[in-house]
Amino acid sequence: MIRVITLCLIISLPVYASQSAKVQTIATALDFPWSLAFLPDGGYLITERTGQLVQLSTEGTVVSRSQVALPNLFVAAQGGLLEVKLAADFAQSGRLFLSYSCGNLNANSTCLASAVWADGSLTAIRPLFHAKPDRQGAAHYGGRMALLPDNTLLLTLGDGFDYREQAQNKANHLGKIVRLTEDGAAPVNNPFFGQPGIAAEIFTLGHRNVQGIFYDALTDNIYSHEHGPKGGDELNLLKAGHNYGWPVATYGTDYTGARISPFTEFAGMQAPLHVWTPSIAPAGMTLYRGELFPQWQGNILVTALAGKAFHRLTIENDKVVTEEVLLKDLDSRLRDVRTGPDGAIYLLTDGANGQLLRLTP
């Protein structure tokens, strides 16, 4: 059961204009929580990587918790139930999207399904997309989503770890971000649609393992971040059809210390807006457009797993001009970050006793 601990942890954060903040623990005992969504009538939906979908009340009490009956759900290492994203018409239809790893240890991939949420349970589960080809192992699935104003959906994918060269192969989905209709098809205005030998779903390519993506309606910008190897985590500004370099251009090195590429930049490939070396293992991202933190307006907020911190980046003219590292005192792997409808910032910690945290002034 999840216990509610209200205002059990208060931390002063140094921010511009002497603004301070507090961290409130809304819920605990979450089993490797991965993604958070806000229900229109209050409360939260949280995915647990181990396969459960948890509904919490606004106060953090458990309303429902159920194993999700997704086709061929594969739970191992980095794989399992990943993101939940509410459809634009969720308040009327109850429709949502779920990303997850599917298959088995010898043949698995990232999959996408839609379902209808009502009365604490999922119905009408419908598979929409299966990234090809399948691969072995249990790493680098991506799995984050962003909804665009034209009712298409971006789904991030990983390179499968041992298949990094495939991130440059336009014939498949490894190391790509794909753009899909709400039915899982490739929109006809995708950058490579109809080109022979190229996967029609591709939106961008040359990625390693993208676990953060955000569409900003105010600027029409799409930002993503991805895990580098040993160093070289990246923040990118996405443009349809562009190549983001992995593994031809990278600021990271292999875990053995070997050089992956002699290039940090390469002709025809997009350079990152920002690089983290050593790696912080970025896991979630939002762009703040709330009212509670006026000094943070338009800032990119990133959670880090290995770095155990919360990063605030100021963007000007498509460049990162300042970065502030917060919440180091928590000493927690931070998995997800969202801007709530109330303007507060919500965080999920990673682990077998994960927490939902609320950050307010």
Side-chain angles (χ1 to χ4, degrees):
M1 297 297 291
I2 296 177
R3 296 180 293 112
V4 180
I5 306 175
T6 303
L7 294 175
C8 72
L9 181 61
I10 304 289
I11 298 176
S12 294
L13 306 180
V15 298
Y16 299 134
S18 300
Q19 185 173 6
S20 62
K22 63 184 178 183
V23 179
Q24 174 187 359
T25 303
I26 301 296
T28 63
L30 297 166
D31 191 15
F32 290 93
W34 211 91
S35 174
L36 169 68
F38 302 98
L39 294 169
D41 57 353
Y44 319 91
L45 276 183
I46 294 175
T47 57
E48 295 177 322
R49 186 180 52 76
T50 46
Q52 291 75 234
L53 186 61
V54 182
Q55 180 184 359
L56 300 178
S57 70
T58 304
E59 295 75 25
T61 56
V62 176
V63 178
S64 66
R65 184 176 193 165
S66 58
Q67 184 76 26
V68 179
L70 290 166
N72 300 313
L73 174 65
F74 171 59
V75 178
Q78 296 177 7
L81 179 59
L82 304 176
E83 179 140 63
V84 56
K85 181 69 70 174
L86 307 187
D89 65 351
F90 176 85
Q92 294 76 40
S93 68
R95 200 162 47 102
L96 53 75
F97 302 98
L98 295 164
S99 62
Y100 61 104
S101 57
C102 53
N104 56 57
L105 189 61
N106 294 316
N108 61 78
S109 189
T110 303
C111 283
L112 177 70
S114 64
V116 174
W117 173 261
D119 300 323
S121 63
L122 289 175
T123 61
I125 296 175
R126 179 187 172 201
L128 298 179
F129 175 76
H130 183 130
K132 296 294 186 179
D134 285 345
R135 70 274 176 78
Q136 294 182 326
H140 290 196
Y141 293 101
R144 293 291 184 189
M145 290 180 271
L147 299 180
L148 301 181
D150 61 358
N151 293 322
T152 60
L153 177 148
L154 296 177
L155 172 66
T156 74
L157 303 170
D159 66 352
F161 189 78
D162 289 327
Y163 305 84
R164 64 191 184 198
E165 291 81 8
Q166 295 302 312
Q168 292 295 323
N169 184 352
K170 294 180 182 177
N172 65 45
H173 300 125
L174 292 175
K176 315 299 192 300
I177 295 174
V178 294
R179 177 171 170 259
L180 308 168
T181 69
E182 292 181 326
D183 294 324
V188 296
N189 60 348
N190 266 2
F192 304 110
F193 188 90
Q195 296 186 30
I198 300 180
E201 298 85 359
I202 294 174
F203 184 72
T204 58
L205 67 149
H207 301 287
R208 187 171 182 265
N209 188 25
V210 182
Q211 289 198 337
I213 191 167
F214 188 86
Y215 169 74
D216 181 31
L218 191 63
T219 62
D220 205 35
N221 284 338
I222 306 168
Y223 297 96
S224 72
H225 64 53
E226 62 190 80
H227 293 253
K230 190 176 181 180
D233 299 340
E234 295 182 0
L235 173 69
N236 288 300
L237 176 62
L238 299 181
K239 302 292 183 182
H242 285 203
N243 186 333
Y244 289 82
W246 176 255
V248 175
T250 177
Y251 285 82
T253 58
D254 212 337
Y255 296 107
T256 63
R259 186 169 66 172
I260 294 169
S261 170
F263 305 107
T264 55
E265 298 182 10
F266 198 81
M269 298 181 179
Q270 297 300 304
L273 297 183
H274 189 65
V275 175
W276 290 279
T277 298
S279 294
I280 65 168
M285 179 169 62
T286 188
L287 190 147
Y288 189 74
R289 292 293 183 196
E291 297 180 355
L292 292 187
F293 294 92
Q295 289 86 357
W296 296 8
Q297 191 66 215
N299 291 178
I300 289 178
L301 310 178
V302 173
T303 46
L305 296 169
K308 295 185 176 181
F310 174 62
H311 293 248
R312 180 171 72 90
L313 295 89
T314 305
I315 305 288
E316 294 180 5
N317 299 318
D318 296 336
K319 293 182 180 180
V320 176
V321 294
T322 64
E323 179 177 14
E324 186 177 19
V325 181
L326 307 169
L327 301 186
K328 291 287 288 186
D329 290 346
L330 285 181
D331 192 32
S332 294
R333 288 166 54 89
L334 300 179
R335 170 62 70 180
D336 199 12
V337 57
R338 307 283 170 164
T339 304
D342 57 356
I345 296 164
Y346 291 80
L347 306 167
L348 289 175
T349 69
D350 182 58
N353 186 27
Q355 298 176 318
L356 172 61
L357 307 176
R358 181 173 182 257
L359 185 64
T360 56

